[in-house]
């Protein structure tokens, strides 16, 4: 099987499993798991924040961040294609009485600055805008990288208007490796930044919420409320530390493989894709009868997923160049 459904399908490597097996653990709800503490310190350092909190998933990282930043009857502005809007069951509304207000995402994953600025509101008739949430890289915009300058401009506008900037950096390490800007360069502009260990970094479980110390202390209460406090979580944190030590620079290989896949697919009749748009590890393309295309590919050993009417392929550490070439060959014969 060549599994291109997502970079979440990665299995822990033998070395990672060894690090997990040898992890020193405590009770993280009581706050004394030394491996979780080390991971949180590492995440804070990488993002240039005072503190960080280990949570079970990227969805919970977004929920913890947004519920801690907002109160009842406030709103979070996000992109219309943002993961928090399209793929998290409207959790902020259900659990926090906080509205998600989507504004059209450009294909670049950005939201037009003027539209964004015009949408921020604080009137007697409306919910109060408390947060702007950006996503980097942008999952449904084919892994697009937000330019540092754009993030800086949004942050300046948020500061001027008294609104918090939240960065859903599930794949912020991909953004960093692709753009050359450090994770810290991006994070400095946001009040809170989240990242996933369980995507391209290849750990089995976990995300980090990073921000000021007082804010992270509040986040810990929110995590508890959501049922996300874990006990001997050092076993999982050890995988995250291993991933941060060994799986960051290699993301460039995933980007290279994604580009190779996009270039191969672009030559096939009926496939719609512009390979020059592929910046990281997510390849979204049009195919004739896409549902059937995905089904026949999977029956023949290449697993893909769908993104709306399009097809999505994601590269990761479990896929090498030879497998990418096989996937392209199979696509040609299926078409
Ligand atoms: C995957 C993803 C999440 C959520 O992560 P889970 O681990 O699936 O909960 C959040 N935001 C973005 C942009 C993602 O791609």
């Amino acid at each position: 099987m060549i599994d291109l459904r997502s970079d979440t399908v990665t299995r822990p490597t033998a070395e990672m499993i060894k690090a997990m097996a040898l992890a020193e653990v405590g009770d993280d709800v009581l706050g004394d798991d030394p491996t979780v503490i080390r991971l949180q310190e590492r995440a804070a350092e990488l993002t240039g924040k005072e503190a960080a909190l280990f949570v079970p998933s990227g969805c919970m990282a977004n929920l913890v961040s947004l519920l801690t930043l907002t109160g009842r009857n406030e709103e979070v502005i996000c992109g219309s294609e943002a993961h928090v809007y399209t793929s998290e069951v409207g959790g902020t509304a259900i659990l926090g009485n906080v509205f998600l207000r989507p504004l059209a995402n450009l294909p670049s994953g950005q939201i037009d600055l003027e539209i964004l600025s015009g949408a921020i509101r604080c009137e007697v008739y409306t919910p109060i805008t408390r947060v702007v949430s950006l996503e980097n890289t942008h999952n449904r915009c084919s892994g697009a990288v937000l330019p540092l300058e754009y993030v800086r401009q949004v942050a300046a506008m948020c500061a001027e208007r008294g609104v918090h900037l939240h960065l859903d950096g599930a794949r912020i390490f991909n953004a960093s490796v692709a753009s050359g800007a450090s994770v810290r360069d991006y994070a400095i502009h946001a009040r809170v930044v989240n990242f996933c260990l369980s995507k391209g970094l290849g750990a089995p479980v976990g995300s980090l919420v990073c921000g000021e110390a007082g804010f992270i202390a509040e986040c810990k209460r929110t995590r508890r409320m959501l049922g996300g406090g874990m006990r001997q979580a050092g076993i999982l944190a050890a995988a995250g530390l291993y991933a941060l030590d060994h799986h960051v620079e290699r993301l460039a290989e995933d980007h290279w493989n994604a580009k190779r896949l996009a270039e191969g697919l672009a030559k096939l009749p009926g496939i719609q894709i512009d390979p020059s748009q592929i910046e990281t590890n997510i390849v979204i393309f049009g195919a004739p009868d896409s549902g059937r295309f995905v089904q026949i590919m999977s029956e023949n050993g290449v697993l893909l997923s769908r993104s709306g009417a399009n097809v999505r392929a994601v590269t990761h550490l479990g896929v090498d160049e030879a497998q990418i070439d096989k996937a392209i060959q199979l696509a040609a014969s299926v078409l």
Side-chain angles (χ1 to χ4, degrees):
M1 282 290 180
I2 300 171
D3 195 345
L4 299 172
R5 287 173 302 169
S6 176
D7 48 8
T8 56
V9 303
T10 51
R11 309 286 165 90
T13 63
E15 286 299 305
M16 184 183 278
I17 289 170
K18 194 169 156 202
M20 296 170 75
L22 297 175
E24 215 190 319
V25 296
D27 185 325
D28 182 50
V29 174
L30 301 183
D32 61 16
D33 185 303
T35 311
V36 172
I37 291 170
R38 269 206 296 142
L39 174 63
Q40 291 176 164
E41 286 172 356
R42 185 80 192 282
E45 183 200 314
L46 283 165
T47 54
K49 299 294 184 198
E50 286 174 0
L53 187 68
F54 187 45
V55 298
S57 70
C59 287
M60 194 183 283
N62 280 340
L63 252 187
V64 164
S65 303
L66 296 176
L67 294 191
T68 308
L69 286 174
T70 55
R72 190 161 187 263
N73 199 27
E74 295 182 341
E75 70 179 6
V76 174
I77 292 180
C78 63
S80 54
E81 298 298 322
H83 193 279
V84 71
Y85 182 63
T86 63
S87 309
E88 300 182 15
V89 205
T92 60
I94 295 166
L95 299 165
N97 295 305
V98 172
F99 297 83
L100 285 174
R101 178 145 170 247
L103 301 180
N105 264 129
L106 303 167
S108 61
Q110 299 175 25
I111 302 165
D112 178 86
L113 261 174
E114 230 168 276
I115 291 173
L116 185 56
S117 173
I120 292 174
R121 56 190 181 173
C122 174
E123 292 173 34
V124 73
Y125 309 103
T126 68
I128 294 171
T129 306
R130 188 64 69 201
V131 181
V132 168
S133 178
L134 295 178
E135 185 173 313
N136 193 21
T137 63
H138 203 295
N139 190 337
R140 285 167 70 100
C141 295
S142 214
V145 178
L146 297 183
L148 199 52
E149 178 56 19
Y150 172 75
V151 177
R152 194 195 62 72
Q153 286 175 332
V154 173
M157 196 264 289
C158 286
E160 197 179 304
R161 306 290 296 278
V163 173
H164 302 304
L165 179 60
H166 165 249
L167 191 54
D168 178 355
R171 295 187 179 81
I172 191 80
F173 285 89
N174 294 84
S176 168
V177 166
S179 69
S182 69
V183 167
R184 184 187 274 253
D185 289 340
Y186 278 112
I188 199 167
H189 297 297
R191 173 88 199 279
V192 48
V193 55
N194 311 332
F195 67 85
C196 288
L197 299 166
S198 56
K199 304 265 164 94
L201 295 181
V205 175
S207 282
L208 276 303
V209 178
C210 312
E212 292 148 24
F215 172 76
I216 294 298
E218 274 302 304
C219 285
K220 205 166 174 180
R221 287 170 57 80
T222 312
R223 182 185 71 175
R224 175 72 179 170
M225 177 183 78
L226 296 171
M230 299 180 285
R231 302 293 178 173
Q232 281 70 54
I235 291 176
L236 302 172
L241 282 164
Y242 183 89
L244 290 171
D245 285 337
H246 297 97
H247 291 168
V248 173
E249 273 111 71
R250 64 152 307 287
L251 292 172
E253 288 172 40
D254 298 343
H255 300 173
W256 199 83
N257 281 333
K259 189 74 131 184
R260 187 176 179 92
L261 178 63
E263 282 165 355
L265 289 171
K267 295 192 187 109
L268 304 180
I271 296 287
Q272 287 150 348
I273 187 169
D274 176 357
S276 73
Q277 300 296 307
I278 304 303
E279 297 178 274
T280 59
N281 69 329
I282 301 178
V283 181
I284 294 177
F285 57 97
D289 202 351
S290 61
R292 200 146 165 262
F293 175 78
V294 169
Q295 190 195 333
I296 301 174
M297 289 290 284
S298 78
E299 285 165 5
N300 288 279
V302 175
L303 304 183
L304 301 165
S305 60
R306 301 187 71 193
S307 179
N310 291 320
V311 182
R312 191 181 82 148
V314 186
T315 57
H316 52 77
L317 58 77
V319 183
D320 62 19
E321 185 186 318
Q323 290 174 312
I324 292 297
D325 290 345
K326 268 195 198 158
I328 296 166
Q329 276 167 23
L330 181 66
S333 63
V334 167
L335 285 164

